Amino acid sequence: MGIEALMVALAVLALATGGSAQLQYGFYKNKCNASDVEAVVQGIVKARFAREAPIVAYLLRLQFHECAVNGCDGGLLIDGPGTEKTAPPNLSVKGYDLIAAIKAELERRCPGVVSCSDIEILATRDAVALAGGPAYTVRTGRRDRRQSRASDVKLPGSEYTAAQAIAYYAKLGMSAYDTVLLLGAHTVGATHCSSIKNSRLYGYGGKMGATDPAMDPTLASTYKKYVCPNVTSSNGNTVYLDDQWSAVKVDNNYYKNLQRGRGVLLVDQNLYRDSSTRGFVDQLANNNGLFQSQFAKVLVKLSEVNVLTGTQGEIRKVCNKFN
Ligand code: HEM
């Protein structure tokens, strides 16, 4: 091909891709002096996981709350009045300190190169693999948004029906199957009695004293007697979202629990109550290999929601402040 034909071909290609930059595998390769950016992130996550395994739960939730609000753009990380971080559902998000520590190390090695939004996605990826979940590759090249508003934070409620959860995730380009997979993140981490006392233990369906009939009676009585007794002082008590032995393991035990009426949040158990999602739960409960491969795919899909690339946004100097 002559040079002119090549130029035309390139111009057409640029038009076809909208001329906008895209995420790429290994975007940071050879961009951080002698450092391998992904290896640096992985090293820091590994050290943290070794002393604080629940970091996997903190990071998964952080990725969700980040990507579901205006996309994976670092908006959740900004400090200050009225930012996303100050919205009620984000007050219990953790893991910000790890993102800041990774950013500081990368800034030392190559200032102004690696975005905070990419660090969130890479760190979550690494923690998931360390917790026995899938090892997956992610594309990078995200940039950080110069905007973060609490009023944009619209996250799903723990009492959602399956249909409400599906409708919520459809707005992020996710299917019903994706919805069931994403909730699989509740294979790690914990909540508090306040999230289940009214909705499941003492006020199911808006009826005073009613317990969710879908809850395994043995589990319900354990919660009522020992973990979440019907007194205000139990509100902050910890309830694991998966069995305690599996609380830092990324596996399909969450789905097995739903089959047995041992889901924790109402939205979790609703995935089994509703006949439109029950079949997916059964498939995933019966096949950990399927869960692992599909969970990786849905996390990648989540990680690419509405990203900024190219010259959009900025590469922050520190993750909790705009430049
Ligand atoms: C309908 C969708 C969802 C609802 C209603 C929901 C709700 C909740 C609630 C109420 C908690 C407990 C917070 C607390 O008590 O501090 C929680 C924890 C958690 N959520 Fe979700 N969530 C949803 C989807 C997701 C998704 C998509 C992910 C990740 C991909 C995720 C990951 C987590 C994790 C890992 C925890 C445990 C956090 C910890 O231990 O600190 N959730 N979620």
Side-chain angles (χ1 to χ4, degrees):
M1 195 184 327
I3 189 77
E4 277 132 54
L6 183 68
M7 298 295 277
V8 171
L10 286 174
V12 169
L13 190 71
L15 279 176
T17 57
S20 69
Q22 312 248 314
L23 297 177
Q24 291 167 28
Y25 293 106
F27 177 81
Y28 293 112
K29 220 168 179 184
N30 303 323
K31 290 202 174 92
C32 187
N33 301 315
S35 295
D36 175 339
V37 168
E38 296 199 21
V40 171
V41 175
Q42 191 184 38
I44 299 173
V45 174
K46 205 170 166 183
R48 173 63 71 95
F49 184 82
R51 66 182 163 85
E52 191 184 9
I55 190 73
V56 64
Y58 307 161
L59 290 173
L60 272 168
R61 187 157 184 248
L62 181 130
Q63 175 172 330
F64 168 42
H65 288 211
E66 177 61 84
C67 296
V69 177
N70 294 334
C72 315
D73 62 0
L76 176 58
L77 305 175
I78 296 292
D79 281 338
T83 63
E84 289 176 29
K85 205 183 247 187
T86 67
N90 287 335
L91 296 177
S92 53
V93 170
K94 301 184 207 111
Y96 298 116
D97 62 321
L98 178 67
I99 305 298
I102 294 169
K103 177 64 170 170
E105 180 60 26
L106 288 170
E107 285 298 296
R108 214 175 55 72
R109 291 168 183 256
C110 52
V113 171
V114 185
S115 68
C116 297
S117 41
D118 274 338
I119 293 172
E120 294 175 292
I121 301 306
L122 291 169
T124 304
R125 181 271 300 269
D126 293 332
V128 166
L130 287 163
Y136 54 95
T137 49
V138 293
R139 302 194 295 167
T140 43
R142 291 168 193 74
R143 312 238 327 158
D144 302 325
R145 199 183 298 272
R146 296 185 47 80
Q147 186 184 308
S148 170
R149 294 187 302 224
S151 56
D152 292 341
V153 177
K154 292 182 185 81
L155 286 158
S158 63
E159 303 174 14
Y160 269 19
T161 62
Q164 287 174 313
I166 290 168
Y168 177 88
Y169 286 108
K171 288 192 239 147
L172 300 177
M174 304 282 177
S175 67
Y177 186 43
D178 293 337
T179 302
V180 175
L181 285 164
L182 281 166
L183 266 296
H186 291 169
T187 178
V188 291
T191 183
H192 304 96
C193 289
S194 54
S195 328
I196 61 168
K197 280 169 74 176
N198 187 54
S199 59
R200 304 212 65 203
L201 300 177
Y202 307 111
Y204 176 75
K207 276 219 310 262
M208 228 185 24
T211 300
D212 183 350
M215 186 181 275
D216 166 19
T218 314
L219 183 69
S221 85
T222 305
Y223 281 155
K224 289 201 264 189
K225 263 197 215 143
Y226 304 109
V227 187
C228 309
N230 199 7
V231 286
T232 315
S233 58
S234 76
N235 283 356
N237 293 355
T238 299
V239 182
Y240 292 100
L241 290 169
D242 194 350
D243 294 323
Q244 196 172 344
W245 60 266
S246 184
V248 291
K249 269 174 64 167
V250 174
D251 61 12
N252 68 337
N253 194 56
Y254 164 82
Y255 299 103
K256 293 184 186 172
N257 275 331
L258 300 187
Q259 289 179 315
R260 300 182 200 120
R262 299 177 68 92
V264 173
L265 301 174
L266 187 58
V267 68
D268 295 322
Q269 196 58 49
N270 283 344
L271 297 180
Y272 204 67
R273 199 185 316 259
D274 190 312
S275 58
S276 74
T277 41
R278 189 182 307 144
F280 296 138
V281 173
D282 285 330
Q283 275 181 36
L284 295 164
N286 294 336
N287 189 340
N288 188 44
L290 178 71
F291 166 66
Q292 299 279 343
S293 64
Q294 299 302 309
F295 190 54
K297 270 197 197 154
V298 83
L299 289 179
V300 167
K301 197 165 169 184
L302 181 64
S303 81
E304 298 193 355
V305 171
N306 203 9
V307 293
L308 302 182
T309 54
T311 54
Q312 299 172 310
E314 64 182 12
I315 304 292
R316 290 184 199 141
K317 293 189 171 66
V318 289
C319 291
N320 61 348
K321 285 195 204 106
F322 301 125
N323 286 346

